[in-house]
């Protein structure tokens, strides 16, 4: 494990072929009082025609990465019925897709027999892992980098198993 965690632009800059992300939490820390989640709870929705209002600079980074020929995929394992946070995520995922990211959803009950790592992760080109650590209430507890081949294989196998069962974003209907 490396103590130096690259920024996401540095991490994605290293990607040559693939960048895959597995999310396994039903909620991530959000400010219920202010910010995008609070706005969404108050009825504000992203406008598909107003790209400038979308999550920047993240979506610019995804688009730049995809434009270089890197395939970017995200899979989310979720409980059903979904949490309010997952409703929020689902409503804005069209922006990820528009930036070139492929996104799928897997109901947790369909993941029971898949060996999964203990943390969310990004896997770059099948060998570089960025672990995403979270506190119990969903706040970021920082990232960690690993190039351990056994861990990379676990992440790759887990992601591909989830991906094969998951439902493409445009076909997943919230329950």
């Amino acid at each position: 494990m490396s103590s130096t965690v690259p920024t996401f632009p540095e991490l994605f800059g290293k990607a040559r072929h693939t960048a895959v992300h597995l999310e396994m939490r039903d909620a991530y820390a959000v400010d219920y009082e202010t910010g995008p989640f609070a706005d969404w709870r108050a009825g504000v929705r992203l406008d598909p025609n107003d790209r400038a209002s979308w999550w920047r600079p993240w979506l610019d980074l995804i688009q730049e990465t995809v434009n270089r020929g890197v395939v970017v995929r995200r899979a989310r394992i979720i409980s059903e019925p979904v949490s309010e946070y997952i409703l929020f995520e689902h409503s804005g995922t069209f922006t990820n897709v528009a930036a070139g990211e492929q996104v799928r959803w897997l109901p947790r009950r369909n993941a029971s027999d898949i060996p999964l790592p203990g943390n969310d992760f990004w896997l770059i080109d099948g060998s570089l892992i960025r672990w995403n650590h979270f506190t119990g209430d969903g706040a970021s507890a920082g990232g960690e980098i690993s190039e351990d081949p056994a861990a990379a294989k676990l992440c790759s196998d887990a992601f591909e198993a989830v991906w094969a069962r998951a439902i493409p974003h445009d076909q997943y209907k919230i329950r």
Side-chain angles (χ1 to χ4, degrees):
M1 302 275 178
S2 169
S3 60
T4 304
V5 178
T7 64
F8 280 104
E10 292 168 341
L11 185 67
F12 281 79
K14 294 177 183 185
R16 298 292 166 247
H17 306 287
T18 61
V20 301
H21 185 37
L22 184 60
E23 296 179 357
M24 299 179 282
R25 297 180 59 92
D26 287 317
Y28 295 86
V30 293
D31 187 336
Y32 285 85
E33 304 294 323
T34 62
F37 185 62
D39 293 343
W40 179 84
R41 291 177 89 206
V44 175
R45 298 299 182 262
L46 293 173
D47 180 350
N49 298 312
D50 183 12
R51 284 181 171 243
S53 70
W54 299 354
W55 188 21
R56 305 290 179 197
W58 177 257
L59 295 172
D60 294 327
L61 176 60
I62 295 299
Q63 189 166 12
E64 291 165 11
T65 302
V66 169
N67 287 345
R68 286 195 347 263
V70 177
V71 176
V72 180
R73 297 183 294 162
R74 177 187 307 255
R76 293 177 170 141
I77 298 174
I78 56 168
S79 300
E80 291 180 321
V82 300
S83 67
E84 185 179 33
Y85 185 84
I86 295 299
L87 285 171
F88 162 69
E89 270 194 336
H90 189 270
S91 75
T93 295
F94 75 89
T95 64
N96 298 74
V97 173
E101 190 173 343
Q102 300 172 42
V103 180
R104 291 187 181 182
W105 304 82
L106 181 64
R108 192 171 309 280
R109 68 177 56 250
N110 297 334
S112 297
D113 62 345
I114 299 174
L116 298 167
N119 294 291
D120 289 10
F121 63 86
W122 278 97
L123 180 63
I124 306 299
D125 292 332
S127 62
L128 178 63
I129 307 162
R130 185 198 195 276
W131 297 111
N132 297 327
H133 298 296
F134 296 95
T135 64
D137 64 1
S140 175
E144 185 176 13
I145 294 296
S146 173
E147 291 183 277
D148 176 64
K153 182 174 179 357
L154 171 66
C155 290
S156 179
D157 291 350
F159 183 87
E160 294 305 330
V162 168
W163 190 258
R165 293 183 190 180
I167 303 161
H169 175 70
D170 63 345
Q171 296 172 23
Y172 180 69
K173 304 301 179 217
I174 292 289
R175 292 184 195 181

